[in-house]
Amino acid sequence: QVQLAESGGGLVQAGGSLRLSCAASRNILSRNPVGWFRQTPGKQRELVAAITGGGNTNYADSVKDRFTISRDAFRKTVDLQMNNLKPDDTAVYYCNTRVKPCIECNELEYWGQGTQVTVSS
């Protein structure tokens, strides 16, 4: 079983920055796709940013040019740098990864517990 843990959330004023980190109990984040999602009460969880095993990235339109997803090879984490934060970015942020242990295996999906990001106006 793999556990994911997010860290780095908190309260910040609009225009400020936060850096979220996603760590795993096993070294799986370096070679598997990882996504950062967010969710607010009453809404569906939405993809914010993702990075493939090969390092390709994609972003939700609402965060392009403000958020950057990256891998930290030394810390073995996947980070989300969030700049110019807006009140609409307020949400619980979750990291996710998908692992296929073998060619014939089903894909396994893991989620962290989430970290709260609150942006005040």
Side-chain angles (χ1 to χ4, degrees), residues 59 84 95 117:
Y59 300 90
N84 190 21
C95 67
V117 171

Side-chain angles (χ1 to χ4, degrees), residues 14-30:
S17 298
L18 284 173
R19 188 176 184 87
L20 306 182
S21 289
C22 176
S25 56
R26 287 165 45 200
N27 184 21
I28 59 171
L29 299 183
S30 61

Side-chain angles (χ1 to χ4, degrees), residues 15-16 38-40 46 48 62-63 66-67 82-93 116-119:
R38 67 186 180 189
Q39 189 171 25
T40 54
E46 63 170 349
V48 173
S62 59
V63 307
R66 298 190 299 123
F67 290 12
M82 306 186 295
N83 297 328
N84 190 21
L85 282 160
K86 304 176 181 180
D88 283 349
D89 295 319
T90 295
V92 178
Y93 283 71
Q116 177 70 46
V117 171
T118 303
V119 184

Side-chain angles (χ1 to χ4, degrees), residues 1 10 13 19 23 25 30 34 56 65 67 69-70 73 98 100-101 104 106-107 117:
Q1 187 70 12
Q13 287 189 331
R19 188 176 184 87
S25 56
S30 61
V34 178
N56 293 321
D65 301 324
F67 290 12
I69 188 171
S70 62
R98 291 170 281 117
K100 207 170 189 301
E104 298 84 9
N106 292 326
E107 191 174 70
V117 171

Side-chain angles (χ1 to χ4, degrees), residues 12 27 32 49 69 72:
V12 65
N27 184 21
N32 291 295
I69 188 171
D72 186 319

